[in-house]
Amino acid sequence: MLACLIGYLGDFDLAEEAVAEAFAVAAQRWPSGGMPDNPGAWLMTTARNRAIDRLRRDRVLAAKLRLLAAQTTAEEHMAEPAIPDERLELVFMCCHPALAIEAQVALTLRAVAGLATEEIARAFLVPAETMKRRLTRAKAKIKLAGIPFAVPAANQLPERLAAVLAVVYLIFNEGYSGQDQKAKETQELQETQEFQETREIQETRETQETRETQQSLAAEAIRLGRVLAVLLPAEPEVLGLLALMLLHDARREARFNGQDLVLLPDQDRSRWDWRQIAEARDLLDSALLDPALRQRATARGPYALQAAIASLQAENPLDWPQIAALYGELADRTGSAVVRLNRAVAIAEAEGPAAALAIVDGLDLPGYQYWHSTRAELLRRLGRPAEARAAYRIALALARTVPERRFLERRIAETDTATEAETETDT
């Protein structure tokens, strides 16, 4: 429905408002009057009429108003789609090549995934205000240039695929990484035992509820990945992305112990979904080894390489030199500082923390939580607890999830102990 309205209006904001109003009217009327025979058509008609009313009030283009007010039924506009999934159809429609790819991805995350501007900004590692301006400019370009929004034909899908894959992966990452679980901010109250117990109960409840929301986001991204794999089975990056998401998601149950984050080396491997890992590896073999797919320009792309790394991380023991080599190849392909940070983690295991710290200190990621926590961990391993504690504290200030905050607080406590021991030794 949102896809149709955006297509009619070329206006994200107006379409979102009309759909929201239609659902609000339904929530008010349906409980007492009953659900209509065709709820989808009813919602479409109501949303369209709301848009017409808004356009009348605002005296927007008369030609557009006549087009919207044409006596056509909602059923006629809701014909059988070329893309066999409404949400994926909307993703492809929003990823219009007339916009820069970053704008395509950001607008789609807003319209389809419903992510807030702050969440999208974190995904792009930019301030929220910067992302707000980018979204505003992109919407203005859509209006001024009259960019048409319609479901692309089959031969137009490849030119939009890169942005579509980025959207699906960022939706998955938003769920898997827990970025949508905001760190709990408590008022400065005196910490009585009763208040402490109440807060812990509330945090546990909030953590569980948020984790369920995260899992639903990750599951939806995987579902979209499966639809893409059926729609475009000859695209190696489609298979690579699905394999990557399945591999990460297979470890979901082992990532937390209550409210505490469990790092990969400490996870209970018996809780991993090995059937899902096997499925992902089959997809990865097709993406990397199938003779027909290896000839395509998108072969051995970023998602397939990340999936290969994730597959190696499920081995025991881990082949850290090979993981570091794959991260190096991925960094060369993407130019990403975050990828180079991940390579540094592998280098720390393969060559030692000193070599890794030299890489980390050469990266410019001052607002990125994991740059500070990685640097802190390397300093801790090098026996520099005071510097490690300072870096951990910066990471803690940037952390946005309860499990991550608890982990960093434990690390700070450990470095405090090490610093005290070092001071006693010096004296």
Side-chain angles (χ1 to χ4, degrees):
M1 182 168 63
L2 182 57
C4 290
L5 284 178
I6 293 174
Y8 295 151
L9 303 167
D11 188 324
F12 275 81
D13 292 332
L14 181 56
E16 287 179 323
E17 290 171 6
V19 169
E21 289 179 12
F23 275 97
V25 173
Q28 182 180 21
R29 295 183 183 177
W30 290 2
S32 58
M35 184 178 295
D37 294 335
N38 191 335
W42 188 96
L43 287 166
M44 170 61 84
T45 300
T46 302
R48 189 182 62 182
N49 288 341
R50 294 283 168 154
I52 291 171
D53 291 342
R54 180 66 58 85
L55 289 171
R56 283 198 182 107
R57 286 197 303 270
D58 296 343
R59 297 183 178 181
V60 181
L61 298 175
K64 183 183 289 187
L65 180 57
R66 288 196 298 272
L67 176 63
L68 284 168
Q71 296 301 312
T72 53
T73 65
E75 290 85 353
E76 289 175 337
H77 289 298
M78 299 174 72
E80 187 68 24
I83 298 171
D85 184 89
E86 287 186 1
R87 181 161 293 182
L88 187 61
E89 183 180 72
L90 179 55
V91 172
F92 268 103
M93 188 178 72
C94 292
C95 292
H96 198 288
L99 299 171
I101 191 165
E102 285 191 355
Q104 295 175 41
V105 173
L107 281 174
T108 308
L109 288 172
R110 185 75 184 89
V112 180
L115 299 188
T117 302
E118 292 77 11
E119 293 167 327
I120 300 170
R122 286 199 299 273
F124 282 87
L125 303 182
V126 298
E129 190 60 33
T130 299
M131 180 53 63
K132 182 179 179 180
R133 289 195 296 269
R134 288 183 185 177
L135 289 169
T136 300
R137 286 196 299 268
K139 291 176 181 179
K141 181 176 180 180
I142 291 169
K143 287 183 179 180
L144 292 174
I147 295 174
F149 278 86
V151 178
N155 63 349
Q156 296 176 317
L157 299 184
E159 68 179 353
R160 303 188 182 206
L161 185 59
V164 170
L165 293 179
V167 167
V168 173
Y169 184 50
L170 287 173
I171 291 173
F172 174 82
N173 206 41
E174 183 69 20
Y176 183 80
S177 67
Q179 289 296 317
D180 59 332
Q181 180 187 354
K182 306 296 186 295
K184 181 176 175 60
E185 296 180 358
T186 58
Q187 297 178 352
E188 294 184 2
L189 300 175
Q190 185 176 0
E191 295 266 3
T192 64
Q193 183 178 3
E194 180 181 0
F195 174 74
Q196 178 69 19
E197 291 174 353
T198 302
R199 190 183 72 174
E200 288 178 355
I201 292 171
Q202 180 65 18
E203 284 185 348
T204 300
R205 184 182 299 117
E206 289 179 355
T207 299
Q208 179 61 32
E209 291 173 352
T210 306
R211 199 167 296 158
E212 290 173 358
T213 301
Q214 295 163 4
Q215 290 175 6
S216 67
L217 275 174
E220 175 63 10
I222 290 173
R223 187 190 69 79
L224 291 173
R226 292 190 186 281
V227 176
L228 275 169
V230 173
L231 183 65
L232 299 167
E235 289 290 345
E237 278 292 79
V238 170
L239 303 183
L241 174 58
L242 179 54
L244 173 62
M245 294 189 295
L246 289 171
L247 284 161
H248 284 317
D249 185 70
R251 302 198 299 264
R252 182 184 66 245
E253 295 300 326
R255 293 183 66 231
F256 298 96
N257 180 16
Q259 294 188 67
D260 292 328
L261 181 69
V262 182
L263 298 181
L264 179 62
D266 302 322
Q267 290 177 10
D268 181 356
R269 294 165 62 90
S270 68
R271 299 181 65 191
W272 291 1
D273 188 338
W274 288 99
R275 182 178 299 179
Q276 189 165 299
I277 291 172
E279 178 190 358
R281 285 173 168 167
D282 287 342
L283 289 164
L284 183 59
D285 285 345
S286 297
L288 293 178
L289 303 178
D290 184 290
L293 299 189
R294 291 176 66 182
Q295 302 304 313
R296 297 185 67 87
T298 52
R300 209 171 175 83
Y303 296 112
L305 288 174
Q306 290 178 78
I309 292 168
S311 180
L312 284 174
Q313 289 172 336
E315 298 287 351
N316 190 21
L318 298 182
D319 187 346
W320 286 110
Q322 179 63 22
I323 292 173
L326 285 171
Y327 269 127
E329 182 179 351
L330 181 61
D332 290 341
R333 266 188 168 271
T334 64
S336 168
V338 173
V339 173
R340 291 191 172 93
L341 179 65
N342 289 330
R343 176 175 174 268
V345 174
I347 291 292
E349 302 297 333
E351 302 177 19
L357 184 60
I359 297 172
V360 171
D361 282 346
L363 301 175
D364 183 22
L365 292 168
Y368 189 49
Q369 169 193 335
Y370 303 110
W371 181 78
H372 293 284
S373 60
T374 299
R375 188 169 181 275
E377 179 65 19
L378 296 173
L379 290 166
R380 185 183 71 86
R381 294 189 190 184
L382 289 168
R384 296 157 62 179
E387 294 173 82
R389 178 178 57 186
Y392 277 130
R393 288 192 179 279
I394 298 174
L396 178 61
L398 295 170
R400 308 194 68 85
T401 72
V402 171
E404 287 180 339
R405 289 180 64 86
R406 289 168 65 91
F407 172 80
L408 292 167
E409 286 166 354
R410 289 198 303 273
R411 280 288 198 251
I412 290 171
E414 292 169 4
T415 55
D416 285 342
T417 302
T419 302
E420 290 172 3
E422 185 180 74
T423 301
E424 291 176 2
T425 301
D426 291 341
T427 55

